[in-house]
C-alpha cells in the first residue's frame, strides 16, 4: 500500500508540474515523536525543533469551485535535545500532494484550507553523546547503521496533512500546517514511534 501511494504522489507531481505556478517557502517546522511502549502500556513524547525549505507548484484544477492542486519537493532538518548529554538530528526530503480551496476575504487576502498526503525519505539520523569533561568532543553515532537486532527504522514514510494558506496579494503566502505519519518510524519488541509535525512558513509565489 505504501508503495502504491508513493507511486501516485510521484506520478501526480511530475506529470502536472508543467502547468503550475511555483512558490518558494521557508519556515519553522517542529516535530513530536510519539513513543508507544507496548510491553509496559505507557506512552511518551519527545519534541524537537526544525527548519524547512519547500519548492511547490500550484495547479488550478477547478475554477468553478476554486480548487487547486499543490505539489513539489521539500527539505526538513530536525534536531532534538534528548537530555543534557544526548542530542540528535535528522533530515528528510518530502513530496506533498494536497488540494486547497480558495476563499477570498477581500481583493488582497485569500484563505485556502488544504488537505492531502505526503511521502518522505530520511537522509540521515545522528545521535550525539556528550561527555562531562569540559571541552571534549561528542561521540557521534549514525543510528541507521547501528540498528540493534529486532529493531526496524523506516527511512521512507507516508502521511497525511492539514493546514491553511493565507495569501496576500499575488505573491506572498503564509502557511500553517500539521502533518501526521501513517507509517511507524521505529518498531521493536519494546514498542513503536510515529512522527507528527507542526509548521509555519512564509513564501513568495512567482
Amino acid at each position: 500500500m505504501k508503495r502504491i501511494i508513493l507511486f501516485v504522489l510521484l506520478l501526480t507531481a511530475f506529470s502536472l508540474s508543467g502547468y503550475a505556478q511555483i512558490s518558494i517557502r521557508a519556515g519553522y517546522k517542529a516535530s513530536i515523536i510519539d513513543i508507544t511502549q507496548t510491553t509496559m502500556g505507557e506512552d511518551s513524547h519527545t519534541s524537537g525543533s526544525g527548519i524547512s525549505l519547500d519548492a511547490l507548484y500550484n495547479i488550478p484544477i477547478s475554477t468553478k469551485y476554486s480548487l487547486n492542486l499543490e505539489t513539489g519537493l521539500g527539505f526538513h532538518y530536525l534536531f532534538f535535545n534528548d537530555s543534557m548529554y544526548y542530542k540528535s538530528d535528522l533530515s528528510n526530503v518530502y513530496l506533498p500532494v494536497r488540494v486547497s480551496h480558495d476563499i477570498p476575504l477581500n481583493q488582497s487576502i485569500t484563505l485556502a484550507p488544504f488537505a492531502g498526503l505526503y511521502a518522505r525519505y530520511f537522509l540521515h539520523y545522528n545521535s550525539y553523546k556528550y561527555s562531562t569533561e569540559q571541552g571534549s568532543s561528542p561521540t557521534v553515532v549514525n543510528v541507521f547503521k547501528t540498528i540493534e537486532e529486532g529493531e526496524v527504522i523506516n527511512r521512507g514514510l507516508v502521511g497525511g496533512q492539514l493546514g491553511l494558506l493565507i495569501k496576500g496579494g499575488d505573491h506572498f503566502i503564509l502557511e500553517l500546517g500539521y502533518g501526521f505519519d501513517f507509517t511507524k518510524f521505529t518498531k521493536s519488541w519494546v514498542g513503536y514511534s510515529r512522527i507528527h509535525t507542526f509548521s509555519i512558513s512564509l513564501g513568495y509565489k512567482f
Side-chain angles (χ1 to χ4, degrees):
M1 183 64 181
K2 183 171 67 175
R3 293 181 180 179
I4 294 175
I5 294 175
L6 180 58
F7 175 76
V8 172
L9 293 175
L10 288 169
L11 182 62
T12 304
F14 292 107
S15 63
L16 297 177
S17 60
Y19 303 95
Q21 290 181 319
I22 189 172
S23 65
I24 303 296
R25 300 175 201 172
Y28 174 77
K29 194 169 189 176
S31 293
I32 294 176
I33 297 181
D34 283 335
I35 303 170
T36 301
Q37 297 181 349
T38 54
T39 57
M40 301 179 63
E42 297 179 354
D43 295 337
S44 60
H45 311 279
T46 300
S47 60
S49 300
I51 55 175
S52 63
L53 181 64
D54 302 339
L56 299 173
Y57 297 97
N58 186 73
I59 307 160
I61 56 177
S62 173
T63 55
K64 180 179 179 180
Y65 298 104
S66 300
L67 295 177
N68 305 283
L69 179 67
E70 192 170 59
T71 186
L73 290 173
F75 174 79
H76 180 204
Y77 173 78
L78 176 65
F79 50 92
F80 291 91
N81 291 325
D82 302 316
S83 68
M84 182 181 298
Y85 302 110
Y86 291 91
K87 303 180 187 297
S88 57
D89 63 0
L90 309 87
S91 66
N92 66 88
V93 291
Y94 53 90
L95 169 67
V97 176
R98 60 202 193 189
V99 175
S100 65
H101 172 56
D102 289 342
I103 305 173
L105 296 183
N106 51 47
Q107 292 183 345
S108 59
I109 298 178
T110 298
L111 299 182
F114 65 82
L117 303 172
Y118 62 82
R120 61 173 167 170
Y121 182 80
F122 279 89
L123 303 174
H124 93 283
Y125 182 3
N126 287 338
S127 176
Y128 304 87
K129 180 180 178 180
Y130 290 82
S131 172
T132 55
E133 297 181 8
Q134 187 174 4
S136 61
S137 299
T139 301
V140 183
V141 175
N142 184 334
V143 179
F144 289 132
K145 294 183 178 180
T146 57
I147 300 175
E148 298 180 359
E149 185 177 356
E151 182 180 12
V152 176
I153 300 180
N154 292 313
R155 301 181 71 167
L157 302 176
V158 175
Q161 56 182 326
L162 301 168
L164 176 68
L165 302 176
I166 304 174
K167 303 177 182 179
D170 295 328
H171 298 290
F172 295 99
I173 300 172
L174 173 65
E175 177 183 328
L176 306 174
Y178 166 66
F180 48 96
D181 289 347
F182 301 145
T183 315
K184 297 180 178 69
F185 181 48
T186 63
K187 185 178 181 181
S188 68
W189 65 272
V190 176
Y192 60 88
S193 67
R194 295 181 190 271
I195 302 177
H196 302 254
T197 57
F198 303 85
S199 61
I200 177 169
S201 303
L202 289 173
Y204 184 87
K205 183 173 67 176
F206 296 91

